[in-house]
Structure formats: C-alpha cells, structure tokens
Amino acid sequence: MAEEEGPTIELRQRKKPKSSENKESAKEEKISDTPIPERAPKHVLFQRFAKIFIGCLAAVTSGMMYALYLSAYHERKFWFSNRQELEREITFQGDSAIYYSYYKDMLKAPSFERGVYELTHNNKTVSLKTINAVQQMSLYPELIASVLYQATGSNEMIEPVYFYIGIVFGLQGIYVTALFVTSWLMSGTWLAGMLTVAWFIINRVDTTRIEYSIPLRENWALPYFACQVAALTGYLKSNLNTYAERFCYLLMSASTYTFMMMWEYSHYLLFLQAISLFLLDIFSVEQSDKVHEVYKIYIFSLFLGYLLQFENPALLVSPLLSLVAALMLTKCLQLNVKKGTFIAKIMKVINFYLVCTLTVTLNIIMKMFVPHKENGHMLKFLEVKFGLNMTKNFTMNWLLCQESLQAPSQDFFLRLTQSSLLPFYILVLIICLLSMTQVIIRRINGKSLKETVTLEDGRIGERPEIIYHVIHTILLGSLAMVIEGLKYIWTPYVCMLAAFGVCSPELWMTLFKWLRLRTIHPILLALILSMAVPTIIGLSLWKEFFPRLMTELTELQEFYDPDTVELMTWIKRQAPIAAVFAGSPQLMGAIKLCTGWMVTSLPLYNDDDLLKRNENIYQIYSKRSAEDIYKILTSYKANYLIVEDAICNEVGTMRGCRVKDLLDVANGHVVCEEGDKLTYSKYGRFCHEVKINYSPYVNYFTRVYWNRSYFVYKINTVISFQS
C-alpha cells in the first residue's frame, strides 16, 4: 500500500507548479466534482427568493387584513364613531375599564414622570388603600401607549380611544402573522400559513377575546408569545444557518422579555414551554446546547423583569425559575457517558428524577425565604376545582361558577368540528405522536438518528421543532380541557398545527410509509395531497364561512345601555368630587373609568384584600340587617351605595350560581343538602328591603337617584342616623 500511495503523492506534487493560484484551483476542482450544474444554483436561489417573497407578502397582508377586519367589525358592532365619549367608555366592561382608565390618567398627567409616580403611589382609586397600580395590574401597555400617543403627535390627529384600540388591533395582526410564519416554517409552504389564518378567523370565538374585551392583558401579551414561538420554531430547526439562528435567538430573547412584562401570568405559560423543551431534551432529538440557550433567556428575562417590575416577588417564586435553575444544576452534574449505552439510559432516568425533585425543592425554599402573596387563592381554587377540598367561601364558589373557569362545553367542540379544524388536528396529532414514539423506541434501542431527514424517509417525528409543538399543544390542551378560559391560548396553536400537517408532504409521506403504499409513487402522491387537501379545505371554508364574515361587517349593530349612561351622567353632575361609591366590582370599574370617582372595590382577582372587599360589598344582596350593611360600608368610608336590579332579581342559568345564592350558602342561610331549603332568618334580602323605604333602612340610607336598572342610596352620617 505504501508503494502505491507514493506515486500518487508525487503526481499531485508535480501538478502544483503548473498553477500559481493553488487554493483557487482546489476550490474549482471541488465545485466541478459536484453533480449540480453551474446554472442550477441561480435558478434555485431565484425560486427560494420568490417563495420567501410571496410568503412574507402573504403573511404581512394576512395580518393587516385581520387588523382592518377587527377595526371594521368593532365599528359596526358598537357604532363607535357615532357615539359620545361616555357611551364609548361604557363599552369597556369589567377589568377592561380599569386598564383604559389608567391610560386616560396618563394622558391627563402634566408629565410622564408625574403620571408614573401617581400610578405607582395610587390612592385615588380604592378608598383607604394605596396601590402600585403599575405592578399590580401590569400597566406597562398603558404606559407605552400613552408615550407613543404623545411622542408621535397623534393627539392632533386622532382621539385617544382610537389610538389605544388601534394598537391592540395592530398587535392582533402581528399575532396572526406570527402564527402564519410558524406554520410556514414547520411545513415549508406558505399555503399552511394561509390555512392557519383562515381557521383562526373562522374560529375567532374560541381563538381570541378581542371583540369582547379589548384592553385585556392577554390581548396585549399573546402576540409577543406567538412571535417568541415562531422564533423558537426557527431556532430549533436542524438545517439553520448561523445568521438565521442568531436572528431567531435575538427575536426570541426580545419577545420573551416583552411577553413577561405585559402579563402577570406569562411566567406560567413559559413554564409549560420550558417543560416541553425539557422533554424534548430528554428524548435526545435535539442538541441540548440549543435548549439550554433558551433556558438562559428565561433566566435573563425573569431577573430583568424582577428588577423593572418593582422587585416583583412573584417572579422569584415562580415555578419557571425553579425549573430552569434545576435544569442548570443537573446539567452541571451530568457525566460524559457514551450515548446509547445502558448507563446512559439509566442516567436519563436519574436526570429526570433529579430535575423534578430539585424543581419542587427549590420552589419550596424560595417561598420560605422570599415574602410573597403569589395568588394563594389560585391554589385554593384548584383544590376545590379538582374536588380535593370543599368550601362555602363566597369568593371560591363565585370563581367556580364563572363560565371561563368551567370545563369546555359541547358547543366548543361542535364549533371546531364544523369548521373541520378538530378532525384534521386530531389526525395530525396522532401521526406526529406515533412517529415520535418510533423515534423514542429507536433511541432506546441504541439506533442513531439521521443527521438530515429527507422527504423519502417519512420520519416527521425526528424533527425537533415538530416534537416541541406536539408536546406543547398536548400540555396546553390538557389545561384547556379543565378550564375553558385557557382555550384562547390553545386553539390558535391547534389552527397552526392542523394547517402545518395537511400542508406538509413529509407528514403525508410518513403516513404512506406505514401504509406501505406501492400502487402510486408515494413521494408524488404526498406532494399532490399536500397541495390538494388544503386547497379543498380552503375552498369549502370560503364557500361556507366567507358570506357569514361579510354579513357581520354589513350588519350595523348598536350598543344601547341608556340606564348606565344616565347613572354616570348623574354621578358626574350631582355627586361630590370626594364621594366614594360602593357596589358590584364590575360597575365600580365603569364608574372609575367614566367619572373618575373613588370606589370601594375593583374587578381584579389577584389581590386578597380586594377579593375580601368584593365579598363584603356583595353582602348588599344577602339576608343581612341594615345595621350590618351600614357597618360594612362605613368601614370602607363609602358615601353612596348602588344596588343593581339585575343582580338583586337575577335569574341564573346555572343552578346555585346566582350571587345571592352563593351569599346565602356562605352566610349559612341555605342548606344545600336539604334541597336548597332556606333556614330561618329574621332579615329579608337587603337589596329588596332597602327599596321599600321603611325603618330602620331609611335611618341608614336615603335614596337619591334611581332608574330601571340602578338604585343609588346616600349612606347617612352618624348624626343623621341618631336623629
């Protein structure tokens, strides 16, 4: 062999002097060895450029069209432009009214710094209580919106309310665009993005709450989460070049932090994402380096968020921080063991056990040393929800009765089935899960995975970004099956995953490999079906649902609530500026927004003191004495009481979920086990008795205004009571 190698070396050495540029000639030889023709790269580049250009144009156009659609629908639904400012503000219901009221306060402030100070030391909203509204209510969207409104000179061109809702509608356009891009990245065709958008809009009753409550925190936050998921999807792809990987990493970092700042519950959603990445790493289908880079982003975002959210302890005691810290520690403890060996498999099991144990331990330790009030009522609610505890507490039972916290109804699944979304989602999920199972079995048996998976292989389950999305959608779906309100997080990704599946030749090829299809060339059939099936779905959706969408835009609706308008007008004209109003939390939010007067409670459920206030004020609908109600109201320095006829005479659709029923249970005025038989109470229901105007009610309360829906009573002072 040595004798044969010698001449070849000599021949190569003799060829070198013939060329003055040896390196360039070597490159030319390598290029000439490749089977691709010289003109093919230009043709391929042109095709790629055209595909990317059309896809980006379609993605941006879809987002813009959806934002314009929301704006037009909102105008038609409320006849918004033809309303007075007071009538427009009444359309912001519940906690949405509180968020928008602080946006108004920021615009009225003499300077941005002064406005922020007044919000962080706010004693003009809730009586006898100073709150940091920015931290407690995550008012960063309102701060940003107010700065943009004044900095861009929009105050000379557009009204504040249009600027505010315009930003939210624009973010929804970004939301749709991000889902489009995610589906495109996974399937390789922008046709999947178009189908994602179609399903998202058709099922918007279950994908978003934007048309009911515009200023909600999730309407501001979820678009950033969608951008983060799109960037993460690109980052996890195996065949990514360095520049694209760097761009995805930067976008992921920025969107993760922004998402965390916009919504107080964002770290819980990121916790589920971290679990998905941890399981992805456990299955060894992706280099752990990439996954651990994402963990670093979590750590950075948590601590930066902690500092900029006024040292918010909720982020330090969050399960996300505990999980990421446990993952970092276990990585330091990992030993370099050859992959595929029995010891490596044992180490995987030990690693999983260590992460779970360390996460729980670290979270307990953090809660011991960090003073916090991190949603203790949420844990109590979950205990009651899952039957681990029983309670007569009004707040817990009231939360259990909320529709958004119930299990999904049959109508939800029926709607998803009628739009063909649910059947295709289940099909795609089953195929991906089975393919994932095959991958895991191969790994357990010690078989190495291919570095590059081709279409002909039909192994959709080997792609890390696919596995991540499958795990993530299962986690989100499991929660959505328990609490219907979480469907707004899950359903958009159902649209994305289903659209990816039907448009992916690789998924069809995986199915054909299992079926061992031989009559027709499987690759050709997969390519045909990946275009034909979404086209057929798109045409059927267009025929059935497009006329409905157009009808919604052509029908002129009207938001008509004259009683509330009259009440707010009376308060602004007749009530003293220093007056404090008491009533249901939802109405108090509207009063804060429309009049600016101080209230006793707010429709917020992340503060134990506010929850207790809400329960105490709701006693006006219970069987309590006039003296008891008077003591409760005066303890909060209330001057006026508003009784709502809709609550007092409520006819609930759900058995035992009326406010007055829940109060009777909490106060021991009803025995559920005896067929809801009322026990003896010498007092009638306060909201009824106070309307009759007889003693002792007239000694404590004086009616000063009423209409068909509201009765306003002035709470007498001690002197007038004695007289």
Side-chain angles (χ1 to χ4, degrees), residues 25-90:
S25 62
K27 288 180 182 178
E28 289 174 3
E29 285 178 7
K30 286 181 181 178
I31 293 171
S32 63
D33 289 338
T34 57
I36 303 172
E38 290 183 3
R39 293 184 181 179
K42 293 182 181 179
H43 179 64
V44 170
L45 285 174
F46 177 77
Q47 281 186 331
R48 287 178 182 174
F49 174 78
K51 183 180 177 181
I52 292 172
F53 176 77
I54 294 172
C56 290
L57 185 64
V60 173
T61 304
S62 298
M64 291 177 63
M65 292 299 292
Y66 180 61
L68 292 172
Y69 167 78
L70 287 176
S71 179
Y73 178 77
H74 181 261
E75 172 63 29
R76 289 286 180 176
K77 183 178 180 180
F78 295 108
W79 208 16
F80 211 65
S81 60
N82 293 279
R83 292 293 178 189
Q84 299 294 324
E85 184 180 4
L86 178 60
E87 293 174 313
R88 291 175 184 171
E89 290 176 349
I90 288 173

Coordinates of all heavy atoms in Angstrom, one line a residue, residues 25-90:
S25 N -7.5 26.8 -7.5 CA -7.7 25.6 -8.4 C -8.3 24.5 -7.6 O -9.1 23.7 -8.1 CB -6.4 25.2 -8.9 OG -5.5 24.8 -7.9
A26 N -8.0 24.4 -6.3 CA -8.5 23.3 -5.5 C -10.0 23.5 -5.3 O -10.8 22.6 -5.3 CB -7.8 23.3 -4.1
K27 N -10.4 24.8 -5.1 CA -11.9 25.1 -5.0 C -12.6 24.7 -6.3 O -13.7 24.2 -6.2 CB -12.1 26.6 -4.6 CG -11.6 26.9 -3.2 CD -11.9 28.4 -3.0 CE -11.4 28.8 -1.6 NZ -11.6 30.2 -1.3
E28 N -12.0 25.1 -7.4 CA -12.6 24.8 -8.7 C -12.8 23.3 -8.9 O -13.8 22.8 -9.4 CB -11.8 25.3 -9.8 CG -11.8 26.9 -9.9 CD -10.9 27.4 -10.9 OE1 -10.3 26.6 -11.6 OE2 -10.8 28.7 -11.0
E29 N -11.8 22.5 -8.4 CA -11.9 21.0 -8.5 C -13.1 20.5 -7.7 O -13.8 19.6 -8.1 CB -10.6 20.3 -8.1 CG -9.5 20.5 -9.1 CD -8.2 19.9 -8.6 OE1 -8.3 19.2 -7.6 OE2 -7.2 20.0 -9.3
K30 N -13.3 21.1 -6.5 CA -14.4 20.6 -5.6 C -15.7 21.0 -6.3 O -16.6 20.2 -6.3 CB -14.2 21.3 -4.3 CG -13.1 20.7 -3.4 CD -13.1 21.4 -2.1 CE -12.0 20.8 -1.2 NZ -11.9 21.5 0.1
I31 N -15.8 22.2 -6.8 CA -17.1 22.6 -7.5 C -17.4 21.7 -8.7 O -18.5 21.3 -8.9 CB -17.0 24.1 -7.9 CG1 -16.9 24.9 -6.6 CG2 -18.1 24.5 -8.8 CD1 -16.6 26.4 -6.9
S32 N -16.3 21.4 -9.4 CA -16.5 20.5 -10.6 C -16.9 19.1 -10.3 O -17.6 18.4 -11.1 CB -15.2 20.5 -11.5 OG -14.2 19.9 -10.7
D33 N -16.6 18.7 -9.0 CA -16.9 17.3 -8.6 C -18.4 17.2 -8.3 O -19.0 16.1 -8.3 CB -16.1 16.9 -7.4 CG -14.7 16.7 -7.8 OD1 -14.4 16.4 -9.0 OD2 -13.8 16.7 -6.9
T34 N -19.1 18.4 -7.9 CA -20.5 18.3 -7.5 C -21.3 18.1 -8.7 O -21.1 18.6 -9.8 CB -20.9 19.6 -6.9 OG1 -20.6 20.7 -7.8 CG2 -20.1 19.9 -5.6
P35 N -22.4 17.3 -8.6 CA -23.3 17.0 -9.7 C -24.2 18.1 -10.2 O -24.8 18.0 -11.2 CB -24.1 15.8 -9.2 CG -24.1 16.0 -7.7 CD -22.8 16.6 -7.4
I36 N -24.3 19.2 -9.4 CA -25.2 20.3 -9.7 C -24.6 21.1 -10.8 O -23.5 21.5 -10.8 CB -25.5 21.2 -8.5 CG1 -26.0 20.4 -7.3 CG2 -26.4 22.3 -8.8 CD1 -26.1 21.1 -6.0
P37 N -25.4 21.4 -11.9 CA -24.9 22.3 -13.0 C -24.7 23.7 -12.5 O -25.1 24.1 -11.5 CB -26.1 22.2 -14.0 CG -26.9 21.1 -13.6 CD -26.7 20.9 -12.1
E38 N -23.9 24.4 -13.3 CA -23.5 25.8 -12.9 C -24.7 26.7 -12.8 O -24.8 27.6 -11.9 CB -22.5 26.3 -13.9 CG -21.1 25.6 -13.8 CD -20.1 26.2 -14.7 OE1 -20.4 27.2 -15.4 OE2 -19.0 25.7 -14.8
R39 N -25.7 26.6 -13.7 CA -26.8 27.5 -13.7 C -27.9 27.1 -12.7 O -28.7 27.9 -12.4 CB -27.4 27.5 -15.1 CG -26.5 28.1 -16.2 CD -27.2 28.2 -17.5 NE -26.4 28.7 -18.5 CZ -26.8 28.9 -19.8 NH1 -28.0 28.5 -20.2 NH2 -25.9 29.4 -20.7
A40 N -27.8 25.9 -12.2 CA -28.8 25.5 -11.2 C -28.9 26.3 -9.9 O -30.0 26.6 -9.5 CB -28.6 24.0 -10.9
P41 N -27.8 26.7 -9.3 CA -27.8 27.5 -8.1 C -28.6 28.8 -8.3 O -29.3 29.2 -7.4 CB -26.4 27.7 -7.7 CG -25.6 26.6 -8.3 CD -26.4 26.2 -9.6
K42 N -28.4 29.4 -9.4 CA -29.1 30.7 -9.7 C -30.6 30.4 -9.8 O -31.4 31.2 -9.3 CB -28.6 31.3 -11.0 CG -27.2 31.8 -10.9 CD -26.7 32.4 -12.2 CE -25.3 32.9 -12.1 NZ -24.9 33.5 -13.4
H43 N -30.9 29.3 -10.5 CA -32.4 29.0 -10.6 C -33.0 28.7 -9.2 O -34.1 29.1 -8.9 CB -32.5 27.8 -11.6 CG -33.9 27.4 -11.8 ND1 -34.8 28.2 -12.4 CD2 -34.5 26.2 -11.4 CE1 -36.0 27.5 -12.4 NE2 -35.8 26.3 -11.8
V44 N -32.2 27.9 -8.4 CA -32.7 27.5 -7.1 C -32.8 28.8 -6.2 O -33.8 28.9 -5.5 CB -31.8 26.5 -6.4 CG1 -32.1 26.3 -5.0 CG2 -31.8 25.2 -7.2
L45 N -31.8 29.7 -6.3 CA -31.9 30.9 -5.5 C -33.1 31.8 -5.9 O -33.7 32.4 -5.0 CB -30.6 31.7 -5.7 CG -29.4 31.1 -4.9 CD1 -28.1 31.9 -5.3 CD2 -29.6 31.2 -3.4
F46 N -33.4 31.8 -7.2 CA -34.5 32.6 -7.6 C -35.8 32.0 -7.1 O -36.7 32.8 -6.7 CB -34.5 32.7 -9.2 CG -35.7 33.4 -9.7 CD1 -35.8 34.8 -9.7 CD2 -36.8 32.7 -10.2 CE1 -36.9 35.5 -10.2 CE2 -37.9 33.4 -10.7 CZ -37.9 34.8 -10.7
Q47 N -35.9 30.7 -7.2 CA -37.1 30.0 -6.7 C -37.3 30.3 -5.2 O -38.4 30.6 -4.7 CB -37.0 28.5 -6.9 CG -37.3 28.1 -8.3 CD -37.4 26.6 -8.5 OE1 -36.7 25.9 -7.8 NE2 -38.2 26.1 -9.4
R48 N -36.2 30.2 -4.4 CA -36.2 30.4 -3.0 C -36.7 31.9 -2.7 O -37.5 32.1 -1.8 CB -34.9 30.1 -2.3 CG -34.6 28.6 -2.2 CD -33.2 28.4 -1.6 NE -32.9 27.0 -1.6 CZ -31.7 26.5 -1.2 NH1 -30.7 27.4 -0.8 NH2 -31.4 25.3 -1.2
F49 N -36.1 32.8 -3.4 CA -36.4 34.2 -3.2 C -37.8 34.5 -3.5 O -38.5 35.2 -2.8 CB -35.5 35.1 -4.1 CG -35.8 36.5 -4.0 CD1 -35.4 37.3 -3.0 CD2 -36.6 37.1 -5.1 CE1 -35.8 38.6 -2.9 CE2 -36.9 38.5 -5.0 CZ -36.5 39.2 -3.9
A50 N -38.3 33.9 -4.6 CA -39.7 34.1 -5.0 C -40.7 33.5 -3.9 O -41.7 34.1 -3.5 CB -40.0 33.5 -6.3
K51 N -40.3 32.3 -3.4 CA -41.1 31.7 -2.4 C -41.2 32.5 -1.1 O -42.2 32.7 -0.5 CB -40.5 30.3 -2.2 CG -41.3 29.4 -1.2 CD -40.7 28.1 -1.0 CE -41.4 27.2 0.1 NZ -40.8 25.9 0.3
I52 N -40.0 32.9 -0.7 CA -39.9 33.7 0.5 C -40.6 35.0 0.4 O -41.4 35.5 1.3 CB -38.4 33.9 0.9 CG1 -37.8 32.6 1.4 CG2 -38.3 35.0 2.1 CD1 -36.3 32.7 1.6
F53 N -40.5 35.7 -0.8 CA -41.1 37.0 -1.0 C -42.6 36.8 -1.0 O -43.3 37.6 -0.3 CB -40.6 37.5 -2.4 CG -41.3 38.8 -2.7 CD1 -40.9 40.0 -2.1 CD2 -42.4 38.9 -3.7 CE1 -41.6 41.2 -2.5 CE2 -43.0 40.0 -4.0 CZ -42.6 41.2 -3.4
I54 N -43.1 35.8 -1.7 CA -44.6 35.6 -1.8 C -45.1 35.3 -0.4 O -46.2 35.8 0.1 CB -45.0 34.5 -2.8 CG1 -44.6 35.0 -4.2 CG2 -46.4 34.2 -2.7 CD1 -44.7 33.9 -5.3
G55 N -44.4 34.4 0.3 CA -44.8 34.0 1.7 C -44.8 35.2 2.6 O -45.8 35.4 3.4
C56 N -43.8 36.0 2.6 CA -43.7 37.2 3.5 C -44.8 38.2 3.2 O -45.5 38.7 4.1 CB -42.4 37.9 3.4 SG -41.0 36.9 4.1
L57 N -45.1 38.4 1.9 CA -46.1 39.3 1.4 C -47.5 38.7 1.9 O -48.3 39.5 2.4 CB -46.1 39.4 -0.1 CG -47.1 40.4 -0.7 CD1 -46.8 41.8 -0.3 CD2 -47.1 40.3 -2.2
A58 N -47.7 37.4 1.8 CA -49.0 36.8 2.2 C -49.1 36.9 3.8 O -50.2 37.2 4.3 CB -49.0 35.4 1.8
A59 N -48.0 36.7 4.5 CA -48.1 36.8 6.0 C -48.4 38.2 6.4 O -49.3 38.4 7.3 CB -46.7 36.4 6.6
V60 N -47.7 39.2 5.9 CA -48.0 40.6 6.3 C -49.4 41.0 5.9 O -50.1 41.7 6.6 CB -46.9 41.5 5.7 CG1 -47.2 43.0 5.9 CG2 -45.5 41.2 6.2
T61 N -49.8 40.6 4.7 CA -51.1 41.0 4.2 C -52.2 40.4 5.0 O -53.2 41.0 5.4 CB -51.3 40.5 2.7 OG1 -50.3 41.1 1.9 CG2 -52.6 41.0 2.2
S62 N -52.0 39.1 5.4 CA -53.0 38.5 6.3 C -53.1 39.2 7.6 O -54.2 39.4 8.1 CB -52.5 37.0 6.6 OG -52.5 36.3 5.4
G63 N -52.0 39.6 8.2 CA -52.0 40.3 9.5 C -52.7 41.7 9.4 O -53.5 42.0 10.2
M64 N -52.4 42.4 8.3 CA -53.0 43.7 8.1 C -54.5 43.6 7.8 O -55.3 44.4 8.4 CB -52.3 44.4 6.9 CG -50.9 44.8 7.2 SD -50.1 45.6 5.7 CE -51.1 47.0 5.5
M65 N -54.9 42.6 7.0 CA -56.3 42.4 6.7 C -57.1 42.0 8.0 O -58.2 42.5 8.2 CB -56.5 41.3 5.6 CG -56.0 41.7 4.3 SD -56.8 43.2 3.6 CE -58.4 42.5 3.3
Y66 N -56.5 41.2 8.8 CA -57.2 40.8 10.1 C -57.3 42.0 11.0 O -58.4 42.2 11.6 CB -56.4 39.7 10.8 CG -57.0 39.2 12.1 CD1 -58.3 38.7 12.1 CD2 -56.4 39.4 13.3 CE1 -58.9 38.3 13.2 CE2 -57.0 38.9 14.5 CZ -58.2 38.4 14.4 OH -58.8 38.0 15.6
A67 N -56.3 42.9 11.1 CA -56.4 44.1 11.9 C -57.5 45.0 11.4 O -58.3 45.6 12.2 CB -55.1 44.8 12.0
L68 N -57.6 45.2 10.1 CA -58.6 46.0 9.5 C -60.0 45.4 9.7 O -61.0 46.1 9.9 CB -58.3 46.2 8.0 CG -57.1 47.0 7.6 CD1 -56.8 47.0 6.1 CD2 -57.3 48.5 8.1
Y69 N -60.1 44.1 9.6 CA -61.3 43.4 9.8 C -61.8 43.6 11.3 O -63.0 43.9 11.5 CB -61.2 41.9 9.6 CG -62.3 41.1 10.1 CD1 -63.5 41.0 9.3 CD2 -62.2 40.4 11.3 CE1 -64.6 40.3 9.8 CE2 -63.3 39.6 11.7 CZ -64.5 39.6 11.0 OH -65.5 38.8 11.5
L70 N -60.9 43.5 12.2 CA -61.3 43.7 13.6 C -61.8 45.2 13.8 O -62.8 45.4 14.5 CB -60.1 43.5 14.6 CG -59.7 42.0 14.8 CD1 -58.5 41.9 15.6 CD2 -60.9 41.2 15.4
S71 N -61.1 46.1 13.2 CA -61.5 47.5 13.4 C -62.9 47.8 12.8 O -63.7 48.4 13.4 CB -60.4 48.4 12.7 OG -60.8 49.8 12.8
A72 N -63.1 47.2 11.6 CA -64.4 47.4 10.9 C -65.5 46.7 11.7 O -66.6 47.3 11.9 CB -64.4 46.9 9.5
Y73 N -65.2 45.5 12.2 CA -66.3 44.8 13.0 C -66.6 45.5 14.3 O -67.8 45.6 14.7 CB -65.8 43.4 13.3 CG -66.7 42.6 14.1 CD1 -67.8 42.0 13.5 CD2 -66.5 42.4 15.5 CE1 -68.7 41.3 14.3 CE2 -67.4 41.6 16.2 CZ -68.5 41.1 15.6 OH -69.4 40.3 16.4
H74 N -65.6 46.0 14.9 CA -65.8 46.8 16.2 C -66.6 48.0 15.9 O -67.5 48.4 16.7 CB -64.4 47.2 16.8 CG -64.5 47.9 18.1 ND1 -64.4 49.3 18.1 CD2 -64.7 47.5 19.3 CE1 -64.5 49.7 19.4 NE2 -64.7 48.6 20.1
E75 N -66.4 48.7 14.8 CA -67.1 49.9 14.5 C -68.6 49.5 14.2 O -69.5 50.2 14.7 CB -66.5 50.6 13.2 CG -67.4 51.7 12.6 CD -67.5 52.9 13.5 OE1 -66.6 53.1 14.4 OE2 -68.6 53.5 13.4
R76 N -68.8 48.4 13.5 CA -70.2 48.0 13.2 C -70.9 47.5 14.4 O -72.1 47.7 14.6 CB -70.2 46.9 12.1 CG -69.8 47.4 10.8 CD -70.9 48.2 10.1 NE -70.5 48.7 8.8 CZ -71.4 49.3 8.0 NH1 -72.6 49.6 8.4 NH2 -71.0 49.7 6.8
K77 N -70.2 46.8 15.3 CA -70.8 46.2 16.5 C -71.3 47.3 17.5 O -72.4 47.2 18.1 CB -69.8 45.3 17.2 CG -70.4 44.6 18.4 CD -69.4 43.6 19.0 CE -70.0 42.9 20.2 NZ -69.1 41.9 20.8
F78 N -70.5 48.3 17.7 CA -70.8 49.4 18.7 C -71.2 50.7 18.1 O -71.6 51.6 18.8 CB -69.6 49.6 19.6 CG -69.2 48.4 20.4 CD1 -68.1 47.7 20.1 CD2 -70.0 48.0 21.5 CE1 -67.7 46.6 20.9 CE2 -69.7 46.9 22.2 CZ -68.5 46.2 22.0
W79 N -71.2 50.8 16.7 CA -71.4 52.1 16.1 C -70.6 53.2 16.8 O -71.0 54.2 17.2 CB -72.9 52.4 16.2 CG -73.4 53.3 15.1 CD1 -72.8 53.5 13.9 CD2 -74.7 54.0 15.1 NE1 -73.6 54.4 13.1 CE2 -74.7 54.7 13.8 CE3 -75.7 54.2 16.0 CZ2 -75.8 55.5 13.5 CZ3 -76.8 55.0 15.6 CH2 -76.8 55.6 14.4
F80 N -69.3 52.8 16.8 CA -68.4 53.5 17.7 C -68.2 55.0 17.4 O -68.2 55.8 18.3 CB -67.0 52.8 17.7 CG -66.3 52.9 19.0 CD1 -66.8 52.3 20.2 CD2 -65.1 53.5 19.1 CE1 -66.1 52.3 21.4 CE2 -64.4 53.6 20.3 CZ -64.9 53.0 21.4
S81 N -68.0 55.3 16.1 CA -67.7 56.7 15.7 C -68.9 57.6 15.9 O -68.7 58.8 15.9 CB -67.3 56.7 14.2 OG -68.3 56.2 13.4
N82 N -70.1 57.1 16.0 CA -71.3 57.9 16.2 C -71.7 58.0 17.7 O -72.8 58.5 17.9 CB -72.5 57.3 15.4 CG -72.2 57.4 13.9 OD1 -72.4 58.4 13.3 ND2 -71.7 56.3 13.3
R83 N -70.9 57.6 18.6 CA -71.2 57.7 20.0 C -70.4 58.8 20.7 O -69.4 59.2 20.3 CB -70.8 56.4 20.7 CG -71.7 55.2 20.2 CD -73.1 55.4 20.7 NE -74.0 54.3 20.3 CZ -75.3 54.4 20.4 NH1 -75.9 55.5 21.0 NH2 -76.1 53.4 20.0
Q84 N -71.0 59.3 21.8 CA -70.4 60.2 22.7 C -69.3 59.5 23.4 O -69.3 58.3 23.5 CB -71.3 60.9 23.6 CG -72.5 61.7 22.9 CD -71.9 62.9 22.2 OE1 -71.0 63.5 22.6 NE2 -72.6 63.2 21.1
E85 N -68.3 60.3 24.0 CA -67.2 59.7 24.7 C -67.7 58.8 25.8 O -67.1 57.7 26.1 CB -66.3 60.7 25.2 CG -65.0 60.2 25.9 CD -64.1 61.3 26.4 OE1 -64.5 62.4 26.4 OE2 -63.0 60.9 26.9
L86 N -68.7 59.2 26.6 CA -69.2 58.4 27.7 C -69.7 57.1 27.2 O -69.5 56.0 27.9 CB -70.3 59.2 28.4 CG -70.9 58.5 29.6 CD1 -69.9 58.2 30.7 CD2 -72.0 59.4 30.2
E87 N -70.5 57.1 26.1 CA -71.1 55.8 25.6 C -70.0 54.9 25.1 O -70.1 53.7 25.2 CB -72.1 56.2 24.5 CG -73.3 56.9 25.0 CD -74.2 57.3 23.9 OE1 -73.7 57.9 22.9 OE2 -75.4 57.1 23.9
R88 N -68.9 55.5 24.5 CA -67.8 54.6 24.1 C -67.1 54.0 25.3 O -66.8 52.8 25.2 CB -66.7 55.5 23.3 CG -67.2 56.0 22.0 CD -66.2 56.9 21.4 NE -66.6 57.6 20.2 CZ -65.9 58.5 19.6 NH1 -64.8 59.0 20.1 NH2 -66.3 59.0 18.4
E89 N -66.9 54.7 26.4 CA -66.2 54.2 27.5 C -67.0 53.1 28.2 O -66.4 52.2 28.8 CB -65.9 55.3 28.5 CG -64.8 56.3 27.9 CD -64.6 57.4 28.9 OE1 -65.4 57.6 29.8 OE2 -63.6 58.2 28.7
I90 N -68.3 53.1 28.1 CA -69.1 52.1 28.8 C -69.0 50.8 28.1 O -69.2 49.7 28.7 CB -70.6 52.6 28.7 CG1 -70.8 53.7 29.8 CG2 -71.6 51.4 29.1 CD1 -72.2 54.3 29.7

